[in-house]
Amino acid sequence: MPVCAPWPCFPMRIEQRQFNLLAIAALVALASHLTRLPLWLSIPLIAIAPLSMWSRRHREKPVSAWLRIPLVALLVFAIYSNYGSIFGREPGSALACGLLMLKVLESEKVRDAKAAIAFAAFVLMSALLFTQTMSFTLVVCLSLSLLLAALNALQPAPIRSRHPFGRELRTGALLLGFGLPLAIGAFLFVPRLGSPLWGAPGAFDVARTGLSESMAPGSMTELLIDDSPALRVHFESKVPPNSARYFRALVLWDFDGRTWSRDSWPQQTQEEISSTTQLISYTVTLEPTNQPWLAALDVPLDTPPLSRMSRDRSLFARNNVDQLRQYRTRSALGYVLAASLHAADRNRALRLPKDFNPKTHALAERWRSEGRADSAIVDAALQLFNASFTYSLTPPLLGRNSVDEFLFETRTGYCEHFSSAFVVMMRSAGIPARVVTGYQGGWWNELGDYLLVRQSDAHAWSEVWLEGRGWVRVDPTASVNPERIELGASASTSNGSWSAGSWLLDLRNRLDVVNRMWTQTIVQFNALRQKSLLTPFGKAEAEHSDLLLALSLIVAVFLIVTTLWVLRTGTVRRGDGLDAAWRGLQQRLTRHGMPMRLDEGPIDYLKRVRPALDKTAVARDFERLLRDYVDLRYARVNLSDADIQAFARKIRELKLPRVVKSHQQSAEPRI
């Protein structure tokens, strides 16, 4: 019967166990967004779940609408104030998370709980708009099984086992497994948009980890300790050695005394390249960066489709790379770039701000006054680095004259410190120079036949212009720490010793082939590839009607197989927990020689077997048990777990006698 109190009556009020499972499921859905939610929002939302569980256990009165409505208004106002809008990927997901937890707060009826679970599934799905990695997708699937377990717990209560939570989890996992074939079929054959949902305009308004268009001391620290993949490269011919794996991304020309920035001058024709040797063709799969630059092996010769090449041979996409970008190009490892330097380029490559780094200027001018050639000045700077400098990812902070402090005081830094100081020295000596940022090194995956380059392989080096040789790559970091170039970024920071971190990174590198397969088969599955699914069946380009027909066939086959499996494994169990207990009693009665006829109800059955039971000691208990079933089944509107468990316990405690076979024979249905 309805559960009522001095406040309005709430029929079909969920039990504490069901509410706890609902709150946990909502908390798991919220957890998929925690890394992106602001702290002021995530802490209160997390607190709602345990507080509501505790409050419901100690107070039966539901949360008043006078409290819930202001909380919704406060949530909308706070999100609008923080994001400037309630529409879009970031504010929309934050609003959905807040509304989900507020929905849990008001869930008192089965209907409300089911709506909350459905909304939790939507919140969980929206997390895939931010990342589609294989590991995160698997976590989402596991979380979905918890939501299915919570939904199953809201069904008419079965006889509870000793471990109801584990039982619900097993059921949720089973339901998820049954749904996977249909989900795969829908993924393959439901007609999709020209680009994935996560590639829609405005979906990537937030910055991604990656190289920046500027460089200052300390700006690359977080990048150099980030081991997430940056790009994967498949070579069509011989793989270049580690020392030649310089992937050019940005060329930085302008220096304001502290920060290097990209050339903002109007684009002209590309710098001429000649005497090219060691040509290499390769395909790059670039991770999303929300930046337009494209990495290419130094130095690129071809411009991929839907991209352009700047004057300094840097590649840029027409739009920001907000989803995986795959492109093919060629590069030359041996080359002469800009054999004759344009006057405007020379002026830009020599420009330095006034009143900065006087000691560095004095040192470079002294080298020049000694009559040294350009190549000799380059060698002198490299020898200076090699003599007394240290490579470290945790260098001291630098002040206004950052290059002076680095060269003459701290003498500790990493690639951006060395490349910046080197270029300033070259310009002070009258040698055109510029900074180049990109990636260097990478890990060769033999199983997948590709080079894996991580964000931690980010690197900065220098280019100087020498008469007759053009722009020449000079990496001052190699003079200080050769292991960084020959063995990679991980070797340069671990001093060649074994560590748990390096071992784990090596394992992740080996397993990255799985991530690459996931990226190629799942994340990059677009409308164009979908149209070619039916090619093996003679359909070169499938239309929407063809895809829907294939999906219908898959659904039909699935239903047929499921039906045959159900028929083969036995009768489907029907009804709620009370029916299950009643069937158990019927089985016991049959084993004791008192089967119930198919056309016989509990009362008629009791009348028939009462003469035989009157001679036993359990007659009164048996009669009370059958009348309890009639009361529970036909006189109650709602059943609680306690009622069902009490009835099942009485069945287990009932001691049935062995009666004469005449009752078993008379139990046959009459026709």
Side-chain angles (χ1 to χ4, degrees), residues 362-558:
L363 175 62
E365 290 173 359
R366 179 169 61 84
W367 285 343
R368 178 61 74 184
S369 65
E370 294 174 353
R372 301 190 186 189
D374 291 354
S375 58
I377 294 177
V378 171
D379 293 338
L382 296 179
Q383 291 172 6
L384 175 66
F385 287 141
N386 181 259
S388 56
F389 281 74
T390 303
Y391 183 91
S392 173
L393 294 182
T394 56
L397 296 178
L398 302 176
R400 181 179 184 274
N401 295 307
S402 57
V403 176
D404 277 0
E405 294 177 15
F406 171 67
L407 289 177
F408 300 101
E409 296 177 19
T410 65
R411 298 192 176 188
T412 300
Y414 48 91
C415 58
E416 67 180 46
H417 296 81
F418 291 106
S419 60
S420 176
F422 180 83
V423 171
V424 170
M425 284 193 292
M426 294 301 103
R427 290 188 176 187
S428 299
I431 303 175
R434 59 193 184 187
V435 175
V436 183
T437 61
Y439 298 93
Q440 195 282 325
W443 188 85
W444 180 251
N445 191 313
E446 295 183 359
L447 182 61
D449 192 33
Y450 67 93
L451 181 71
L452 171 64
V453 180
R454 296 187 178 274
Q455 296 291 355
S456 55
D457 294 314
H459 193 52
W461 59 92
S462 308
E463 285 185 343
V464 296
W465 190 87
L466 301 176
E467 190 69 37
R469 300 175 59 186
W471 287 109
V472 178
R473 180 175 67 235
V474 180
D475 191 351
T477 304
S479 298
V480 182
N481 189 10
E483 292 83 2
R484 168 63 183 86
I485 308 304
E486 296 296 334
L487 302 179
S490 59
S492 66
T493 56
S494 62
N495 297 323
S497 61
W498 183 91
S499 65
S502 61
W503 176 84
L504 181 60
L505 180 59
D506 183 68
L507 178 62
R508 290 182 60 188
N509 286 337
R510 297 179 186 278
L511 294 179
D512 185 73
V513 64
V514 181
N515 295 326
R516 186 186 185 222
M517 293 174 59
W518 173 267
T519 299
Q520 292 178 336
T521 58
I522 304 298
V523 180
Q524 292 185 313
F525 185 77
N526 51 25
L528 184 61
R529 294 180 60 185
Q530 187 184 47
K531 289 183 178 181
S532 62
L533 281 177
L534 301 181
T535 301
F537 302 95
K539 194 71 174 179
E541 186 173 340
E543 302 293 337
H544 287 178
S545 57
D546 302 321
L547 296 173
L548 292 176
L549 178 60
L551 179 62
S552 301
L553 293 176
I554 291 176
V555 172
V557 171
F558 176 78

Side-chain angles (χ1 to χ4, degrees), residues 128 131-138 287 515 518-519 523:
L128 294 174
T131 176
Q132 304 89 39
T133 62
M134 183 182 66
S135 57
F136 187 77
T137 305
L138 291 177
E287 292 288 328
N515 295 326
W518 173 267
T519 299
V523 180

Side-chain angles (χ1 to χ4, degrees), residues 233-265:
V233 187
H234 172 72
F235 295 96
E236 299 179 8
S237 56
K238 185 179 180 180
V239 181
N242 206 30
S243 58
R245 298 173 189 170
Y246 283 84
F247 291 90
R248 186 188 200 91
L250 298 166
V251 178
L252 310 180
W253 292 76
D254 303 325
F255 185 57
D256 62 3
R258 180 174 180 83
T259 302
W260 289 91
S261 57
R262 188 167 67 87
D263 175 25
S264 58
W265 287 59

Side-chain angles (χ1 to χ4, degrees), residues 62-95:
V63 178
S64 173
W66 293 103
L67 176 61
R68 299 196 305 267
I69 294 176
L71 286 177
V72 173
L74 179 62
L75 173 67
V76 175
F77 174 77
I79 290 178
Y80 183 84
S81 301
N82 186 77
Y83 294 98
S85 173
I86 60 173
F87 302 103
R89 193 182 60 153
E90 287 283 347
S93 62
L95 180 62

